[in-house]
Amino acid sequence: MKSLKISLLMTLLCIVLNVQAEEPVNDYNLVIKGFIEGYINTDYRKMEKLVSRGVVEKLPREKSVLVNKYSEIIGLMKTNNMTKQDCTWEYKILAENEGLVIAQIDFNFETHTLREFITLERGAKSWLVTGINKFFMPVASNKVLSLN
């Protein structure tokens, strides 16, 4: 009887530990949807889990390109934590294989669309966003707006 109780207790402990352990994200679509949710809600905690520490974000500014790294991306999100973006979104996969995915995400605002091309790489435990390229476009146009 004592060994049965110990066995049941150990089984229960294993179940609790497995539930508490963070599951790796093996589906890149879940990472993309999480990235979208993190952006829309300015949720830096979610983004910290989905982007690589080596992530690079690029966006055009007139004839130059602004480059932000992980700490700058997360730092800005912390400043605006949980600010809800008023937009709709859609995404599509542009290219994919077993280790690399490129996706296009359109965040559609009233006056413009923020088009992001993100690169995801399969890591040892899960997919992570390793690159972000942003383009601001006026509504109903494919012309890129430049930040001034």
Side-chain angles (χ1 to χ4, degrees):
M1 187 69 171
K2 186 175 181 178
S3 64
L4 179 62
K5 286 181 182 179
I6 291 173
S7 178
L8 288 173
L9 183 60
M10 293 301 291
T11 302
L12 181 61
L13 181 61
C14 287
I15 291 170
V16 169
L17 290 175
N18 283 333
V19 168
Q20 288 180 345
E22 191 169 310
E23 289 293 317
V25 182
N26 292 319
D27 181 354
Y28 58 77
N29 285 295
L30 293 176
V31 174
I32 294 168
K33 290 176 183 173
F35 179 88
I36 291 168
E37 185 179 313
Y39 172 79
I40 288 176
N41 295 308
T42 320
D43 185 349
Y44 75 89
R45 287 182 185 96
K46 181 176 283 292
M47 291 298 240
E48 284 178 323
K49 296 175 185 172
L50 301 175
V51 298
S52 162
R53 297 291 188 259
V55 69
V56 175
E57 174 187 74
K58 296 181 180 183
L59 59 151
R61 182 174 181 159
E62 296 179 356
K63 294 181 180 179
S64 63
V65 176
L66 295 176
V67 177
N68 294 315
K69 296 190 177 172
Y70 177 86
S71 61
E72 296 157 324
I73 297 166
I74 299 302
L76 182 59
M77 291 189 85
K78 284 181 179 179
T79 302
N80 298 309
N81 189 32
M82 302 313 281
T83 301
K84 177 90 168 139
Q85 302 292 327
D86 186 20
C87 65
T88 61
W89 59 269
E90 58 188 333
Y91 81 93
K92 62 183 173 183
I93 304 300
L94 302 177
E96 64 184 305
N97 72 17
E98 294 174 3
L100 186 68
V101 174
I102 299 174
Q104 174 185 319
I105 306 170
D106 287 345
F107 295 102
N108 302 305
F109 295 86
E110 188 175 321
T111 59
H112 68 281
T113 295
L114 170 58
R115 179 164 289 164
E116 295 193 8
F117 296 94
I118 64 171
T119 303
L120 297 97
E121 294 180 30
R122 182 189 294 270
K125 295 182 180 179
S126 63
W127 288 89
L128 291 173
V129 175
T130 59
I132 307 166
N133 293 287
K134 295 184 173 195
F135 298 90
F136 294 90
M137 306 165 75
V139 172
S141 171
N142 284 329
K143 182 177 180 182
V144 174
L145 294 175
S146 180
L147 297 177
N148 294 322

